[in-house]
């Protein structure tokens, strides 16, 4: 369905957004395209959807080079959900969709009201202007527009953005239904949870480079199996821009990008908010200019920028670790994927097993057997704990390598065990409390988002929320990350709290299980 070879794209002469991407998407597949903000996800999708021209390399859709495809025939085969809902604000949902439907052959179209009903759009708002809609309602109208023409290829950019947990579950169900009809779905997102629940395969993109590709079921085991290029080994950590009109610094590091005016400096920083550092020299002394982030990270950015101005070694940077850029990224991405897999998939895995056993009457049988009631709980928790430990071991060995994994593996397994026990007990307890899997799914989404979203924001970006120190999963994640980097940072208080949490959850689960057995028996 989709074949991409050596795809490149530049918005300006020195602003290359994509660097030689290669991937394929099969017919009837849900393919996830993941990466942080600004990594090139939306740019890639716009090229594939025929919106953005001037790319390099080869892009083939429906067996034809995209440059040779006639626009009208092509656009009638695809549906697109953009990251932002582009709708006519003064028109209603019905008027918007009927207008867009006029571009397609009538025999190809679905009924507008039926599509909106499938998306659970509020009927009271059908004829009200879009300007009065919430973000979630606009997202539903945009999704309806993408589905209206029964597309063979569906492009979805952040499909669950702006939706509550119930709406997100509904959208995922609809996307799966489209796949069952034979539709190929290309999902662009930075949401690991959406990718984990939806996609057959995923690709990770970072700074316009494809960094990992593989089956979703095996991606945490085989990501970077052999060797995967995360980014160029010589890439600088932060972009440094220098405005020095009088040439006060004659010789600077080649990693410094010189600009010709203050306007150009401000423009460069605006495009590189997360890591860009500007230096302007107006009175013979360098003045650092940048967008503020976390205090510690900002100090490091300033020191790094100033060190590049002194290529003679007068201002050498302090060496704080022995990891190369590639190894640093290997450790980070392995830690992130391990954490999200245990939080999301591990939690869901034990639930799916237990719900199935409830339906088969296993708990009813166990209730009348002359065995300790805690044995059933212990057997399930122990099984998932062992599975997670094996999973973490293989993942660490495959991604970090045997030499690097030897010193960090004990710490990684300890932190994995803590997280695995917490999530398995939480999943077990939720199964006992909720009657069906639909109710559990809502709780699952809330817990997974609570555990993962603020943690990744604070631990992997310059965003630092004051209250994050009170978030229990932040400390678990940082314990795991410190273990991957073989760094101290988890004191006795952390382990005492972790043990207390596991004991408390065990007591609650035991009580809930006994109550469930009394109902069954």
């Amino acid at each position: 369905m989709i074949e991409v070879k050596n795809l490149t794209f530049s918005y300006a002469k020195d602003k290359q957004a994509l660097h030689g991407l290669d991937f394929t998407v099969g017919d009837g597949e849900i393919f996830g395209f993941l990466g942080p903000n600004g990594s090139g996800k939306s740019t890639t999708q716009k090229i594939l959807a025929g919106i953005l021209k001037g790319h390099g390399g080869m892009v083939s859709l429906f067996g034809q080079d995209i440059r040779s495809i006639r626009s009208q025939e092509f656009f009638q085969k695809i549906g697109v959900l953009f990251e932002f809902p582009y709708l006519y604000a003064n028109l209603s949902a019905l008027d918007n969709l009927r207008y867009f439907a006029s571009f397609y052959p009538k025999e190809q179209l679905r009924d507008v009201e039926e599509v909106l009903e499938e998306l659970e759009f509020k009927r009271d708002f059908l004829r009200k202007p879009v300007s009065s809609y919430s973000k979630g309602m606009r997202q539903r109208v945009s999704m309806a527009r993408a589905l209206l023409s029964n597309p063979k290829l569906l492009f979805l950019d952040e499909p669950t953005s702006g939706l509550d947990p119930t709406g997100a579950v509904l959208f995922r169900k609809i996307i799966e239904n489209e796949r069952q009809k034979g539709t190929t779905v290309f999902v662009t997102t930075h949401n690991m949870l959406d990718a984990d629940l939806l996609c057959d395969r995923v690709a990770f993109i970072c700074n316009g480079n494809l960094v990992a590709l593989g089956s979703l079921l095996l991606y945490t085991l085989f990501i970077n199996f052999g060797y995967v290029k995360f980014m160029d080994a010589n890439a600088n950590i932060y972009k440094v821009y220098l405005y020095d009109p009088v040439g006060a610094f004659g010789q600077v590091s080649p990693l410094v990008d010189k600009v010709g005016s203050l306007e150009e400096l401000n423009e460069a920083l605006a495009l590189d908010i997360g890591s860009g550092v500007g230096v302007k020299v107006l009175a013979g002394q360098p003045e650092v200019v940048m967008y503020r982030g976390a205090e510690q990270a900002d100090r490091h950015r300033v020191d790094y920028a100033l060190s590049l101005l002194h290529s003679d070694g007068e201002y050498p940077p302090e060496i704080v670790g022995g990891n190369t850029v590639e190894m640093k990224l290997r450790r980070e991405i392995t830690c992130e994927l391990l954490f999200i897999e245990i939080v999301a998939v591990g939690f869901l895995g034990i639930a799916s097993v237990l719900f199935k056993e409830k339906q088969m009457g296993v708990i009813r049988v166990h209730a009348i057997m002359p065995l300790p009631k805690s044995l059933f709980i212990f057997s399930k928790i122990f099984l998932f704990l062992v599975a997670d430990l094996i999973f973490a071991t293989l993942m660490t060995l495959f991604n970090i390598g045997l030499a690097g994994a030897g010193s960090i593996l004990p710490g990684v397994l300890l932190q994995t065990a803590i997280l695995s026990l917490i999530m398995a007990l939480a999943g077990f307890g939720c199964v006992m409390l909720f009657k069906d899997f639909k109710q559990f799914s809502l709780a699952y989404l809330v817990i997974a988002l609570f555990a993962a979203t603020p943690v990744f924001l604070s631990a992997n970006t310059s965003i630092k929320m004051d209250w994050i120190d009170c978030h229990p999963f932040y400390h678990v994640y940082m314990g795991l990350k410190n273990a991957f980097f073989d760094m101290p940072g988890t004191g006795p208080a952390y382990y005492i709290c972790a043990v207390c949490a596991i004991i408390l959850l065990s007591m609650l689960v035991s009580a809930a299980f006994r109550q469930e057995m009394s109902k069954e028996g």
Side-chain angles (χ1 to χ4, degrees):
M1 179 63 74
I2 300 175
E3 185 177 1
V4 175
K5 291 184 178 179
N6 196 31
L7 177 60
T8 60
F9 185 82
S10 298
Y11 283 103
K13 186 176 180 181
D14 299 323
K15 302 292 181 184
Q16 190 165 358
L18 301 176
H19 305 266
L21 304 188
D22 293 275
F23 61 88
T24 59
V25 182
D27 291 347
E29 181 179 9
I30 300 180
F31 185 84
F33 203 57
L34 281 72
N37 293 329
S39 60
K41 302 188 306 297
S42 296
T43 297
T44 303
Q45 177 171 299
K46 288 176 182 177
I47 293 172
L48 296 179
I51 298 170
L52 210 53
K53 307 294 184 182
H55 64 275
M58 189 276 288
V59 176
S60 172
L61 284 85
F62 305 107
Q64 291 181 270
D65 191 299
I66 196 170
R67 296 184 180 94
S68 64
I69 295 177
R70 293 179 58 188
S71 296
Q72 185 175 355
E73 294 178 0
F74 174 69
F75 287 122
Q76 287 178 355
K77 293 180 181 179
I78 69 171
V80 183
L81 172 67
F82 297 99
E83 181 179 5
F84 303 103
Y86 297 110
L87 301 167
Y88 293 101
N90 294 326
L91 298 181
S92 67
L94 288 176
D95 290 337
N96 264 282
L97 294 177
R98 285 168 179 165
Y99 172 70
F100 290 116
S102 66
F103 294 100
Y104 298 91
K106 289 185 178 179
E107 62 273 11
Q108 182 180 336
L109 294 169
R110 298 172 61 179
D111 183 80
V112 170
E113 294 194 32
E114 286 183 3
V115 176
L116 287 173
E117 184 176 354
E118 182 182 353
L119 290 162
E120 297 183 0
F121 186 83
K122 296 178 181 178
R123 298 192 63 84
D124 295 346
F125 285 83
L126 282 175
R127 291 176 172 79
K128 292 183 180 181
V130 168
S131 58
S132 65
Y133 295 175
S134 66
K135 185 177 180 181
M137 293 172 65
R138 296 186 186 199
Q139 190 76 346
R140 282 172 163 81
V141 179
S142 297
M143 186 65 160
R145 181 179 63 189
L147 299 173
L148 195 60
S149 60
N150 280 309
K152 295 180 180 178
L153 176 58
L154 195 56
F155 291 102
L156 305 177
D157 196 346
E158 304 292 354
T160 59
S161 174
L163 299 176
D164 57 26
T166 305
V169 170
L170 173 66
F171 267 44
R172 282 192 279 269
K173 180 180 178 182
I174 289 172
I175 293 169
E176 177 59 34
N177 290 341
E178 288 299 310
R179 189 260 288 279
Q180 291 177 3
K181 296 178 185 177
T183 306
T184 302
V185 186
F186 188 92
V187 181
T188 303
T189 183
H190 63 265
N191 189 324
M192 291 287 294
L193 185 61
D194 280 346
D196 221 356
L197 295 176
L198 275 175
C199 303
D200 302 307
R201 291 188 302 134
V202 294
F204 294 89
I205 186 171
C206 178
N207 295 329
N209 293 282
L210 209 59
V211 296
L213 181 64
S215 167
L216 186 60
L217 295 176
L218 298 175
Y219 81 100
T220 48
L221 292 176
F222 295 104
I223 183 173
N224 311 317
F225 188 76
Y227 179 79
V228 174
K229 182 179 179 182
F230 277 87
M231 64 166 54
D232 183 63
N234 295 318
N236 51 322
I237 300 172
Y238 303 118
K239 282 283 189 179
V240 178
Y241 306 95
L242 173 64
Y243 174 57
D244 185 10
V246 298
F249 292 87
Q251 292 185 340
V252 297
S253 169
L255 297 176
V256 174
D257 293 335
K258 294 184 178 181
V259 298
S261 65
L262 287 175
E263 290 77 12
E264 190 177 347
L265 177 65
N266 291 332
E267 180 182 351
L269 292 175
L271 294 172
D272 196 6
I273 294 176
S275 61
V277 186
V279 180
K280 59 182 180 181
V281 186
L282 299 180
Q285 294 296 323
E287 180 182 347
V288 177
V289 183
M290 62 184 180
Y291 285 89
R292 181 183 297 175
E295 182 180 354
Q296 185 174 358
D298 286 348
R299 289 200 301 268
H300 185 248
R301 290 161 69 191
V302 171
D303 288 342
Y304 177 74
L306 293 177
S307 73
L308 296 184
L309 300 184
H310 298 266
S311 58
D312 55 2
E314 178 185 347
Y315 195 93
E318 180 185 356
I319 298 175
V320 295
N323 288 312
T324 62
V325 172
E326 179 193 334
M327 182 52 68
K328 174 179 178 292
L329 290 175
R330 283 181 181 275
R331 292 174 188 266
E332 284 182 347
I333 197 169
T334 304
C335 175
E336 291 171 17
L337 293 176
L338 178 59
F339 181 84
I340 198 66
E341 281 293 319
I342 295 176
V343 168
V345 179
F347 182 77
L348 188 62
I350 194 170
S352 61
V353 170
L354 289 173
F355 270 115
K356 187 69 174 178
E357 291 187 350
K358 283 177 69 174
Q359 294 172 358
M360 295 170 61
V362 173
I363 295 179
R364 184 181 299 112
V365 171
H366 189 83
I368 60 175
M369 292 180 65
L371 294 172
K373 305 307 178 187
S374 59
L375 183 61
F376 183 84
I377 302 174
F378 175 80
S379 64
K380 297 300 178 186
I381 300 299
F382 181 76
L383 177 64
F384 277 86
L385 173 61
V386 172
D388 285 339
L389 291 176
I390 294 173
F391 187 82
T393 300
L394 295 176
M395 192 170 172
T396 305
L397 290 172
F398 288 156
N399 292 325
I400 310 301
L402 185 60
S407 61
I408 67 172
L409 198 54
V412 169
L413 293 181
L414 175 60
Q415 302 303 324
T416 299
I418 291 173
L419 181 60
S420 176
L421 288 171
I422 291 173
M423 296 312 302
L425 287 168
F428 198 116
C430 287
V431 172
M432 296 299 108
L433 292 174
F434 297 113
K435 294 180 179 179
D436 55 49
F437 198 76
K438 184 177 180 180
Q439 291 178 343
F440 173 84
S441 297
L442 293 176
Y444 161 68
L445 285 173
V446 172
I447 292 173
L449 291 174
F450 166 77
T453 303
V455 165
F456 286 131
L457 280 175
S458 288
N460 297 313
T461 70
S462 59
I463 299 172
K464 179 68 174 179
M465 295 165 282
D466 293 336
W467 53 267
I468 196 66
D469 287 331
C470 300
H471 195 299
F473 283 96
Y474 174 73
H475 296 282
V476 178
Y477 177 77
M478 289 308 298
L480 184 62
K481 191 169 185 178
N482 287 334
F484 268 102
F485 283 89
D486 201 13
M487 294 174 58
T490 48
Y494 163 77
Y495 291 108
I496 292 172
C497 290
V499 170
C500 290
I502 292 169
I503 292 173
L504 178 61
L505 283 171
S506 300
M507 294 170 63
L508 294 174
V509 165
S510 179
F513 180 64
R514 291 177 184 279
Q515 183 178 3
E516 180 66 26
M517 283 200 301
S518 65
K519 295 178 184 177
E520 297 284 355

